[in-house]
Amino acid sequence: ALPIYGTIFKINLSDLSFAMVYEFTNQINPYGGVVTSSNMVYGFGQYGGPSLNGMVYRVGIGGDGYRDLFDFNGTNGGSSYATPTLSGNTLFGASFQGGTNGGGNVFRINTDGLEYTNLYSFQRQGGANTTGSSLYDRAGLLLSGNVLYGTTSLSGIGGQGTVFQINTDGTGFSVLHSFQYTDGGQPEAVWLSKGTLYGAAVVGIQGISAGVGGIFALVLQPTLNLELNNNQAVLMWNDSSYFLYTALTLTNTFTKIIGAASPYTNSVTGLQKFFRLQTN
């Protein structure tokens, strides 16, 4: 019998019954979770592929139709621990090592395995590395509007990892926070709620060089951008916990646009309007 290199399973929440979906026999070693869409399960493998740098795979929710969608080769990424982040027919992810600089990368790929794009490559671990390296975030990237948030487990100004953001088209990369033990280290996973990123640090806190970690909060400033597209105004914001409000003048009462989500399109052929974001 072939050795098993990880499994996909499912649990019925009604009666807690357990069932095996798929057993890997190709050294894939999946560390992160999976996402589902259109009766398909998508995930990343830490190993596998011709160069053993990992892969992007899909399999039917019934365990049939397994397919290797994309193979990492080191230069385009390698050893992804992440859970895929799904938006439409696009998967976003991060790798622990590899990329053009060797310190891991952020990438996107279509669910059919085509149009792979390396969005950002991190430098290798070292004292001169201020942006972070080695993305060990098994929860995966957090998507809000057209902005991805994530963590690196090493490097940064404080040497203990970073929280970063980047637009889904690869622009706008910035480090939001660098850890240095006293405020945590080696962060994993972030969650956004009402303009604040919450996450967990594996080590550090209270000046302890090893420490036991802790929970952190990082307050963000939401951004609202407007772009013109023919006779349409397209509004985009980076925090889905904020709602879009509008008024005809700045002194009028602003009213919530029910169901508005980023990106939101509004015609510019009507009356002048003002927009702002609110949390409720």
Side-chain angles (χ1 to χ4, degrees):
L2 293 174
I4 303 301
Y5 292 101
T7 62
I8 299 173
F9 60 87
K10 61 184 178 182
I11 297 176
N12 189 310
L13 297 181
S14 298
D15 58 12
L16 300 183
S17 58
F18 176 92
M20 192 69 67
V21 175
Y22 190 79
E23 297 180 343
F24 296 99
T25 58
N26 51 359
Q27 302 185 47
I28 196 169
N29 288 14
Y31 267 75
V34 296
V35 293
T36 60
S37 177
S38 301
N39 296 322
M40 286 289 174
V41 179
Y42 297 90
F44 305 139
Q46 181 197 13
Y47 297 118
S51 63
L52 297 182
N53 280 290
M55 59 171 57
V56 181
Y57 68 85
R58 79 178 184 194
V59 64
I61 59 174
D64 57 330
Y66 173 84
R67 181 182 169 192
D68 178 350
L69 294 176
F70 185 82
D71 294 317
F72 295 104
N73 60 20
T75 302
N76 60 22
S79 297
S80 175
Y81 292 92
T83 298
T85 300
L86 178 65
S87 177
N89 66 342
T90 303
L91 299 168
F92 295 94
S95 73
F96 181 76
Q97 59 190 18
T100 55
N101 299 319
N105 70 325
V106 177
F107 60 86
R108 73 182 182 205
I109 186 171
N110 289 350
T111 51
D112 59 5
L114 301 177
E115 296 187 24
Y116 175 88
T117 303
N118 181 2
L119 298 176
Y120 189 84
S121 287
F122 292 85
Q123 299 290 335
R124 293 183 183 274
Q125 181 186 2
N129 183 339
T130 61
T131 59
S133 64
S134 305
L135 289 76
Y136 192 63
D137 190 347
R138 286 171 287 186
L141 299 167
L142 172 65
L143 177 63
S144 180
N146 65 333
V147 178
L148 295 161
Y149 297 94
T151 63
T152 67
S153 61
L154 298 171
S155 298
I157 294 176
Q160 292 302 311
T162 64
V163 179
F164 66 86
Q165 71 175 40
I166 185 172
N167 295 333
T168 52
D169 62 0
T171 63
F173 175 89
S174 64
V175 174
L176 301 175
H177 185 75
S178 288
F179 291 87
Q180 51 188 349
Y181 278 135
T182 55
D183 56 2
Q186 300 177 27
E188 289 189 18
V190 286
W191 187 257
L192 183 63
S193 177
K194 297 186 182 301
T196 300
L197 280 176
Y198 297 91
V202 176
V203 299
I205 304 294
Q206 298 179 348
I208 303 173
S209 61
V212 292
I215 305 297
F216 63 85
L218 179 61
V219 178
L220 301 176
Q221 294 295 326
T223 60
L224 177 61
N225 298 315
L226 185 150
E227 296 180 359
L228 292 179
N229 183 8
N230 296 323
N231 288 325
Q232 303 291 327
V234 182
L235 294 103
M236 295 174 287
W237 57 100
N238 63 347
D239 187 341
S240 59
S241 63
Y242 281 80
F243 300 97
L244 188 64
Y245 281 68
T246 187
L248 294 179
T249 70
L250 289 175
T251 57
N252 281 23
T253 300
F254 277 75
T255 57
K256 182 190 292 186
I257 303 177
I258 303 299
S262 179
Y264 174 79
T265 300
N266 184 82
S267 174
V268 297
T269 58
L271 296 175
Q272 171 182 278
K273 291 183 180 179
F274 292 83
F275 298 91
R276 73 183 184 192
L277 298 175
Q278 293 182 201
T279 57
N280 52 41

